[in-house]
Amino acid sequence: METQLQDDERSRPSPAQPDDGARDDGKAAQTERRRFPREMKPTDEQPAPPPALQPLRFSTRDLDPTQQFAAWQSYVAPLVDVRRPDNSPLDAGFGADHAAWNLGGMLIIQQSTPAHSYMRSEAKVRSSPIDHWHISVLRNGRTWTEVGGHVSEGEPGKVELRTLGHPFRGRSTDAQTLSLYLPRELLHPASTEIRNNIALSGTRAKLLIDYLDGVEAKLAQLAEADLPHVVQTIRDMILTSVSSSPASAEPHNSLALKERVYRFVQHNLMSPDLTTDRLCRELGVSRTRLYQAFEPDGGVHHYIQRRRLLAAHAALSDTANRQQIVDIAFAAGFSSAAHFSRAFSKEFGYSPREARNVAMPSYLGHPVEPASEAESAQSFDKWLRTLGHTRRA
């Protein structure tokens, strides 16, 4: 029996063994598979990019109540002059909070203030290089702002648009506000059709507010790569909201022409042939229409000179700019240092040398985290002046 089993075992066919060619094919397939990277498992997590934004915060609440309003006046002086309500005691406190986030192409501001009045005067507009668009959304409270006899009423659920390139005045109740500051060029070319001092409402305005709510909640988590997309999306939504408003389009009036001139002058400010004749030729307008539009500004030539003086003033006020005054004058388009000095003193009421030596404001915002020397030199005023020119100056 044992012999029979052994004979049967020997008689069974042995398992098939791969020949050399099959072994080579298997190795080749295995090598081919290894050329491709392994797929990441669902449980593998990439580290989140670091946050890109650090807010600049300012508050009057830690100051003596008698000093709070003066501190707030100083802080917002680059934008507006503010006053207490007429019935407010002089020694009453003024607890205000301000947080600014610099996205490079846009500033986002969270602000809480007691009731007050505000004014951006013609003199402030003339002496300031800041002519951005201001978009505001009230979280609570109400505002009334007047421009050229037209009053825009702000309240929760509305989006207000206003240019800082024109005077305005108004008043506010106790309010919390989310504001945006956009350089004029960001809304190009549609800015020629945006009517100044309007309040938008409706579905598109509500969608914009909802998106801003989401951005505000994520400001501290935004990465560097997110910022251009956020700025572009907000810009597009603003333009969509404006286009839905029948009161927004005013393409043929003086304001629309002035917006076109503003942009052209800004892009060609240092050009030696920036003249009235060139403006008429490039923009396709007559001298008569150009002069009529800029008559309130003292004429087109005066407007161009004022823009050059403002550019020179910004350079003189920059503590990092150590150019000689005469070089700044030539860079701003002036052919004579003496002419520049006379025009500068007439426009601002002080000399170019005094502008360079002017003291910094007493009240500056501060980053919320320990900052380097370069970061600690930042201020809300500087962010406004450099908006649209640097990444996050």
Side-chain angles (χ1 to χ4, degrees):
M1 178 64 70
E2 183 177 346
T3 302
Q4 181 67 34
L5 290 174
Q6 289 175 350
D7 291 342
D8 292 343
E9 190 70 25
R10 282 194 299 269
S11 65
R12 289 178 184 172
S14 60
Q17 298 293 326
D19 59 21
D20 292 341
R23 286 197 297 270
D24 290 342
D25 290 343
K27 289 180 180 179
Q30 186 177 17
T31 302
E32 186 69 23
R33 287 195 298 270
R34 287 177 180 172
R35 290 179 184 175
F36 297 95
R38 292 182 179 179
E39 295 184 3
M40 298 297 292
K41 295 179 181 180
T43 56
D44 293 338
E45 294 184 1
Q46 295 293 331
L53 301 179
Q54 179 174 285
L56 194 66
R57 297 192 186 277
F58 176 76
S59 177
T60 66
R61 298 183 187 278
D62 294 334
L63 301 174
D64 186 279
T66 60
Q67 299 177 352
Q68 290 179 351
F69 185 69
W72 184 252
Q73 280 183 310
S74 177
Y75 193 72
V76 299
L79 286 175
V80 290
D81 299 313
V82 293
R83 292 180 54 187
R84 295 174 178 273
D86 293 338
N87 59 353
S88 176
L90 295 178
D91 58 349
F94 194 87
D97 300 293
H98 189 279
W101 303 78
N102 192 341
L103 280 67
M106 175 185 301
L107 300 184
I108 297 182
I109 311 298
Q110 299 161 306
Q111 179 174 299
S112 175
T113 53
H116 66 284
S117 61
Y118 49 86
M119 179 172 69
R120 185 168 176 84
S121 65
E122 177 66 34
K124 189 174 288 291
V125 171
R126 291 181 58 200
S127 63
S128 172
I130 301 168
D131 62 351
H132 313 314
W133 282 101
H134 177 215
I135 289 85
S136 63
V137 176
L138 282 173
R139 301 308 193 191
N140 57 53
R142 298 181 72 182
T143 61
W144 296 264
T145 307
E146 182 265 331
V147 175
H150 170 72
V151 177
S152 173
E153 183 173 347
E155 59 186 7
K158 290 184 178 180
V159 178
E160 289 192 277
L161 287 87
R162 191 169 300 112
T163 175
L164 301 180
H166 295 275
F168 59 82
R169 62 179 181 176
R171 63 185 179 92
S172 170
T173 65
D174 294 2
Q176 290 183 320
T177 311
L178 182 71
S179 293
L180 311 176
Y181 291 97
L182 286 67
R184 183 180 297 276
E185 292 77 13
L186 187 62
L187 298 185
H188 170 77
S191 61
T192 60
E193 300 183 359
I194 301 176
R195 184 178 176 185
N196 187 21
N197 197 37
I198 57 175
L200 305 175
S201 58
T203 301
R204 297 185 188 183
K206 179 63 166 58
L207 289 173
L208 173 59
I209 293 173
D210 289 344
Y211 183 74
L212 293 177
D213 290 344
V215 170
E216 183 181 16
K218 295 292 185 180
L219 283 171
Q221 287 81 47
L222 291 176
E224 189 77 23
D226 298 327
L227 304 185
H229 302 289
V230 172
V231 170
Q232 184 68 31
T233 300
I234 293 176
R235 171 200 180 271
D236 293 345
M237 294 188 75
I238 289 171
L239 294 180
T240 300
S241 298
V242 170
S243 67
S244 69
S245 171
S248 64
E250 199 174 18
H252 302 298
N253 65 4
S254 296
L255 181 59
L257 173 60
K258 292 175 78 169
E259 290 290 343
R260 295 169 61 202
V261 174
Y262 290 163
R263 290 198 310 273
F264 187 86
V265 169
Q266 186 65 32
H267 289 302
N268 298 275
L269 194 58
M270 307 311 172
S271 175
D273 65 340
L274 182 57
T275 62
T276 300
D277 288 339
R278 184 183 175 191
L279 282 172
C280 292
R281 184 173 63 254
E282 296 282 353
L283 301 181
V285 298
S286 67
R287 278 176 166 268
T288 300
R289 188 178 172 202
L290 199 60
Y291 284 139
Q292 288 175 342
F294 281 86
E295 186 176 359
D297 299 86
V300 183
H301 175 74
H302 181 265
Y303 169 73
I304 294 173
Q305 177 171 283
R306 179 159 62 90
R307 297 303 304 179
R308 285 175 164 165
L309 288 170
L310 289 171
H313 193 296
L316 290 167
S317 302
D318 185 355
T319 56
N321 187 336
R322 303 318 302 166
Q323 283 183 290
Q324 296 292 323
I325 294 178
V326 64
D327 293 331
I328 291 176
F330 290 153
F334 290 86
S335 58
S336 163
H339 176 216
F340 169 72
S341 182
R342 287 194 300 269
F344 191 98
S345 299
K346 182 178 180 181
E347 184 71 28
F348 301 112
Y350 45 86
S351 70
R353 190 170 301 280
E354 289 173 312
R356 165 150 282 176
N357 296 331
V358 68
M360 293 296 289
S362 302
Y363 298 98
L364 300 177
H366 59 277
V368 294
E369 301 293 340
S372 66
E373 181 178 350
E375 290 172 331
S376 63
Q378 302 305 325
S379 70
F380 181 49
D381 179 29
K382 184 175 182 180
W383 278 7
L384 286 168
R385 286 187 285 108
T386 58
L387 179 61
H389 299 288
T390 58
R391 181 36 206 97
R392 279 194 310 280

